Amino acid sequence: FREETEGQRRSESAPEGERDDSHATWPSRAGEDLPDGEWHTAAIVWIDLGLPPDADEEKVFETVTLVLPALTAITQDYFGRAIPHRDGLTALFGAPAAHEDDVEQAVQAALEMRGYLAKRARQSQISLGFRLAVSYGQVVAGYIGPEYHSEFAVKGEPVRAAEQIAKSVPPG
């Protein structure tokens, strides 16, 4: 990422009527700096909460607001990074910081998440048909989006593999 001061941004702002892309992290023209995506060897835990599509929206919202913070806390307890996605959560171990036991940490976190979700499924007012899977390999990870609202993202075959495995296993 480019580090700029507020004064630099003001002095380089676009003339009136032209688009000001000075806040963008993705280049709009050739030759500009790219975001700081880097290759990492990482373990991925993919969690699909298996929320029923016909469930009451308020109950789904309540369930998600209880479950995601708990899954995030479990991820962080094992030195991982939680990245919410549409159907649940991706837990990343090994990026941006790597540890020699990232795979073991991911497996331990996945086991704890499974136990938590099984308990929550018994207590929930809606059906939680959760699925999870662990994968390992080379990923590209880094921050994307404008500086004022950048998010950590991860892409790569291990992410796709964990998602596909999670979708193929029975719930629970």
Side-chain angles (χ1 to χ4, degrees), residues 99-170:
H99 304 91
E100 64 183 43
D101 60 347
D102 284 326
V103 174
E104 292 85 0
Q105 296 286 355
V107 171
Q108 290 299 318
L111 291 171
E112 189 171 330
M113 289 174 188
R114 182 179 175 272
Y116 169 79
L117 288 169
K119 179 180 174 186
R120 177 58 62 191
R122 290 188 298 274
Q123 299 170 345
S124 182
Q125 295 179 358
I126 63 171
S127 172
L128 273 180
F130 70 91
R131 296 177 162 112
L132 60 84
V134 180
S135 184
Y136 178 76
Q138 293 290 311
V139 299
V140 176
Y143 289 93
I144 60 172
E147 186 178 321
Y148 58 86
H149 184 72
S150 63
E151 295 181 10
F152 199 77
V154 61
K155 301 289 182 196
E157 185 56 35
V159 178
R160 290 185 292 278
E163 180 181 8
Q164 291 304 314
I165 294 167
K167 288 180 178 182
S168 69
V169 300

Side-chain angles (χ1 to χ4, degrees), residues 25-78:
T25 58
W26 290 99
S28 60
R29 294 177 297 278
E32 291 185 14
D33 291 336
L34 291 173
D36 291 333
E38 295 180 354
W39 284 99
H40 297 272
T41 301
I44 305 293
V45 179
W46 179 274
I47 303 159
D48 181 343
L49 294 176
L51 298 166
D54 57 346
D56 177 64
E57 292 296 326
E58 186 175 2
K59 289 185 181 2
V60 168
F61 183 82
E62 289 171 1
T63 300
V64 169
T65 57
L66 288 172
V67 169
L68 285 184
L71 295 175
T72 298
I74 293 169
T75 301
Q76 292 171 343
D77 286 347
Y78 290 93

